[in-house]
Amino acid sequence: MSFAAILGAELLLAQIASGQGTTYISNLGQPPIGSGAVGNDSWLAQPFTTGTNSFGYALDSVQLLMDAASGSPSGFTASIYSSPGNGAPGSNLGSLTGSDPAAGGLFSYAASGLVLSPGTYYFVVVTAATPIAQGAYQWSAADSFGRIFKAPGDPWTIPDGYYSSTNGSSWTSQARQNIFQFAVNGTGVPEPTVYSLAALGLTLLGLRWRRHFKSLTR
């Protein structure tokens, strides 16, 4: 790959990273009616679907609304998982970084280099290093029985249910249940033609500079 093409790709990533980001889906404004316990024997997976931007979305962060923890849990983790066939959680696509949510409140977990495809199911998956008998983090839940939460405009959705697991590998569907409270923030990936043109321009500039340099050294 030429230097110009590499630089063009870096310009693409830089522009995406420098964007302020958009909250594409959120149910944080809904009244909480309960919570779900989180531990290494109590995994929770909340599905969501992305919108229609043709080139996908660079994931910036996920916000989670948490209640105060019970006992003394530790090692809270949040990740984005795939959803093969729009079913149970599949592969861990990337971990999110943020602070321990034991005190309760709204917590932001940052992503790094993860691009979500359009019109695709994903999961926010949470777990911890300790069993709930020692203590449990509590993910706040809102009522959505019998309906799907849809964002206005670009049609991201939150289905009315979730998945649970005792080990992170075997999952049980909890359909038509409360949904856990979160928001997804990202940046729509622009059409690559803009960056292809930028790379082409840099290539032509490089060729012109080389020719000029050769003419000076003759």
Side-chain angles (χ1 to χ4, degrees), residues 18-39:
S18 64
Q20 295 300 309
T22 298
T23 300
Y24 284 106
I25 190 74
S26 173
N27 63 353
L28 296 175
Q30 294 181 295
I33 63 169
S35 63
V38 179

Side-chain angles (χ1 to χ4, degrees), residues 56-207:
Y57 305 84
L59 181 63
D60 296 333
S61 64
V62 173
Q63 294 172 289
L64 304 179
L65 184 60
M66 306 293 293
D67 291 343
S70 59
S72 302
S74 64
F76 181 85
T77 61
S79 305
I80 300 296
Y81 274 60
S82 65
S83 177
N86 300 341
S91 301
N92 185 344
L93 301 178
S95 297
L96 308 173
T97 58
S99 56
D100 187 285
L106 184 61
F107 294 84
S108 183
Y109 295 88
S112 177
L114 184 57
V115 176
L116 305 180
S117 299
T120 303
Y121 274 76
Y122 292 97
F123 285 95
V124 178
V125 175
V126 297
T127 185
T130 49
I132 58 174
Q134 175 178 322
Y137 297 100
Q138 299 289 334
W139 193 1
S140 179
D143 179 20
S144 70
F145 183 78
R147 65 187 177 87
I148 295 177
F149 184 84
K150 294 184 179 181
D154 196 6
W156 291 55
T157 64
I158 305 174
D160 63 336
Y162 63 94
Y163 280 79
S164 61
S165 174
T166 59
N167 54 21
S169 58
S170 299
W171 295 90
T172 300
S173 174
Q174 308 290 345
R176 297 178 68 83
Q177 298 289 326
N178 300 328
I179 55 177
F180 297 107
Q181 294 189 269
F182 71 108
V184 177
N185 306 299
T187 305
V189 177
E191 294 185 19
T193 52
V194 174
Y195 301 96
S196 298
L197 291 173
L200 177 60
L202 289 169
T203 300
L204 294 175
L205 183 62
L207 291 173

